[in-house]
Amino acid sequence: MASQLNPYLNFDGNAREAMEFYHQVFGGDLSLTTFGEYGGDPAIADQIMHGMLRTRSGYVLMASDTPPGMQLQRGNAVTVSISGDDADELRGYWEQLSEGGVVAVPLEKQMWGDVFGQCVDRFGTAWMVDITPPQG
């Protein structure tokens, strides 16, 4: 297998809900492994130790719940970016990701010619969607 670079998101007990939401948005194959499957702390047995979503478009998104003793700190240092020229597909992602979240930049044509938007979804994950004009 070739090396890959994938976003890995951390959550505070709602990784399952978030990953099921992203699965609904992007489709594909979702696998979730709980701490309990590996004999972890019974208090977090149902929480996600590792989740991975592989979409039909080839995206890979990974996630886990933060175990006790580790502090989850949300910030603005990481944003997941989705880009391409399939406007219908990308607008569909945008509509679902931004619903219930906070839109920082509305999805609209920008000065560089692309349609671009930026939001934070209801789980606190920052997203950028960039629709490039079809080449041709």
Side-chain angles (χ1 to χ4, degrees):
M1 175 170 90
S3 297
Q4 296 178 352
L5 179 65
N6 302 310
Y8 202 107
L9 308 176
N10 293 295
F11 296 92
D12 192 21
N14 62 345
R16 177 183 304 278
E17 181 184 0
M19 291 301 283
E20 288 174 349
F21 171 70
Y22 300 142
H23 184 231
Q24 176 187 334
V25 171
F26 298 110
D29 297 315
L30 175 63
S31 64
L32 299 171
T33 304
T34 64
F35 286 101
E37 290 177 57
Y38 288 92
D41 181 347
I44 61 166
D46 291 334
Q47 290 188 5
I48 302 304
M49 185 177 85
H50 178 72
M52 183 166 58
L53 174 62
R54 289 186 181 276
T55 74
R56 293 182 289 269
S57 297
Y59 307 140
V60 176
L61 186 62
M62 297 179 180
S64 69
D65 284 310
T66 304
M70 291 183 67
Q71 182 181 7
L72 177 66
Q73 215 169 359
R74 290 273 179 220
N76 61 358
V78 175
T79 301
V80 181
S81 176
I82 305 170
S83 56
D85 63 3
D86 188 331
D88 291 338
E89 178 183 49
L90 293 167
R91 283 183 192 281
Y93 296 157
W94 171 263
E95 289 170 9
Q96 295 178 76
L97 292 167
S98 62
E99 184 177 335
V102 176
V103 173
V105 177
L107 186 66
E108 58 191 24
K109 189 165 186 170
Q110 302 296 321
M111 65 181 127
W112 62 87
D114 293 1
V115 173
F116 174 86
Q118 193 165 355
C119 69
V120 175
D121 71 22
R122 61 187 175 152
F123 297 101
T125 302
W127 296 88
M128 291 188 299
V129 174
D130 188 88
I131 304 169
T132 58
Q135 303 298 313

